[in-house]
Amino acid sequence: MLRSLLLTASASPRCKGFVEHSRLSRPVVARFVAGNDLDQAIAAARAVVTDRFASLDLLGEATVHRAAADRTAQSYVALVHRIGAEGLAGRVEVSVKLTALGLALPDGRGIALEHAREVCAAARDAGTTVTVDMEQYPYVDATLQTVRELRADFPDVGAVLQAYLRRTEADCRDLSGPSSRIRLCKGAYDEGASVAFRSRAQIDGSYRRCLRILMSGKGYPMVATHDPALITFAGELAEAYGRDRSEFEHQMLYGIRPRAQTTLAATGLRVRVYIPFGNAWYPYFMRRLGERPANLAFFLRSFAPGGRG
């Protein structure tokens, strides 16, 4: 119920205005978001890649104007050029949401595909890769079809699958062919019981089943979870299926369990940190609060007398 309330608040203009304009919230937001501009994002990535890898995400979604989608595509092209120019392409990729590239517009899939091709081509020239983020359930089919079309010319394009959706086991089998990059996460949106598992036990069970499909397949699994039990399970599966440490990776969010990230990387495992940046941080921030009670407690403490971010 708390998660649903926070996700509802993420769409509330009143809540948005309060959080965005409160000086007390800014230090807390800075824990999860690497700044507003490209320079800050590159600085955060450079700090991370001393021992890990990174995926940069220019925040924004549900674009309702073609001009805004065009600007987002241009910003991503500039981002991947900067990654290449900074010599970071070997350890830093980008993540992109298709609704930020125009998927929600009339004729949106064609617009988003055109923009995604531009970003993928620039990423290829820069020597890096692109992962297409997953969004709310109504966009799942369009997102996966776009990924399939992109992979015809850019076979290293990554896809994201959400374990809390009932369909995801089938999607894992369908998309995880040779060289396919699949990021498996639990899911951060509030979907109905007809399409999504609702309890933690159900979601964890689905994650384990989906991860087994990916680890036993021929693709490259990207294990996106902070759950210690699932991280351990991923290692057990990798060993059982004879996967080298270079044949899969763990992924975690910027600002969440940073010590666990560095500890895992110190064992020789590949760890990639998802680093969001930009002004459109509010929906992302609210989803992070909804995912873990500890995140919400951290946020609320900042508003208490003597609290800190």
Side-chain angles (χ1 to χ4, degrees):
M1 180 179 295
L2 177 60
R3 182 166 176 265
S4 295
L5 288 173
L6 286 167
L7 292 176
T8 299
S10 72
S12 166
R14 177 180 241 176
C15 292
K16 181 174 183 287
F18 172 75
V19 175
E20 286 186 337
H21 293 99
S22 171
R23 66 179 180 82
L24 295 174
S25 68
R26 293 303 303 179
V28 189
V29 174
R31 172 177 173 170
F32 303 106
V33 179
N36 291 331
D37 59 36
L38 182 53
D39 288 340
Q40 291 172 310
I42 292 295
R46 192 172 290 283
V48 160
V49 300
T50 56
D51 62 342
R52 288 157 287 165
F53 297 79
S55 186
L56 288 174
D57 171 31
L58 174 59
L59 290 171
E61 53 196 88
T63 298
V64 295
H65 299 292
R66 174 64 188 260
D70 293 345
R71 286 194 299 271
T72 299
Q74 293 164 7
S75 295
Y76 265 100
V77 169
L79 171 60
V80 294
H81 284 165
R82 181 72 178 274
I83 289 170
E86 294 279 345
L88 296 171
R91 298 185 77 89
V92 180
E93 64 142 35
V94 298
S95 294
V96 61
K97 288 180 173 59
L98 292 182
T99 64
L101 298 182
L103 183 61
L105 298 172
D107 191 29
R109 210 178 73 76
I111 294 169
L113 177 60
E114 174 189 344
H115 284 148
R117 286 188 187 280
E118 294 173 9
V119 176
C120 289
R124 181 176 60 191
D125 292 344
T128 187
T129 55
V130 175
T131 295
V132 176
D133 277 334
M134 188 55 72
E135 302 179 67
Q136 295 98 322
Y137 188 78
Y139 296 115
V140 173
D141 282 327
T143 298
L144 295 183
Q145 182 57 32
T146 301
V147 167
R148 292 184 186 96
E149 294 183 36
L150 289 171
R151 284 180 171 178
D153 296 315
F154 310 100
D156 59 359
V157 168
V160 178
L161 297 175
Q162 301 174 113
Y164 75 158
L165 295 181
R166 296 178 183 274
R167 59 176 287 167
T168 297
E169 284 183 70
D171 289 331
C172 284
R173 294 188 182 93
D174 183 43
L175 285 169
S176 60
S179 302
S180 174
R181 297 169 59 245
I182 300 290
R183 176 195 297 158
L184 181 66
C185 64
K186 288 189 178 182
Y189 298 94
D190 190 25
E191 307 291 1
S194 63
V195 299
F197 299 112
R198 301 286 294 180
S199 75
R200 177 174 176 175
Q202 288 178 316
I203 295 169
D204 286 356
S206 176
Y207 197 103
R208 289 171 181 266
R209 294 191 300 273
C210 291
L211 188 57
R212 185 178 296 277
I213 292 169
L214 298 179
M215 284 289 190
S216 64
K218 299 183 181 300
Y220 180 80
M222 300 183 286
V223 186
T225 180
H226 303 91
D227 186 327
L230 292 178
I231 289 170
T232 298
F233 182 66
E236 293 169 350
L237 285 179
E239 183 175 357
Y241 290 111
R243 280 188 176 268
D244 185 83
R245 290 186 171 189
S246 65
E247 295 177 322
F248 71 102
E249 66 183 48
H250 292 274
Q251 295 195 356
M252 296 186 179
L253 298 171
Y254 182 76
I256 298 182
R257 300 193 69 213
R259 289 184 182 177
Q261 295 177 19
T262 56
T263 298
L264 202 59
T267 68
L269 290 165
R270 293 169 64 95
V271 178
R272 189 177 303 273
V273 183
Y274 183 95
I275 304 177
F277 73 100
N279 292 315
W281 51 263
Y282 178 73
Y284 173 86
F285 175 66
M286 295 303 287
R287 289 196 293 271
R288 299 294 78 79
L289 295 185
E291 284 176 342
R292 296 180 68 232
N295 294 342
L296 179 60
F298 180 79
F299 176 60
L300 294 177
R301 281 199 306 271
S302 71
F303 291 94
R308 61 180 180 83

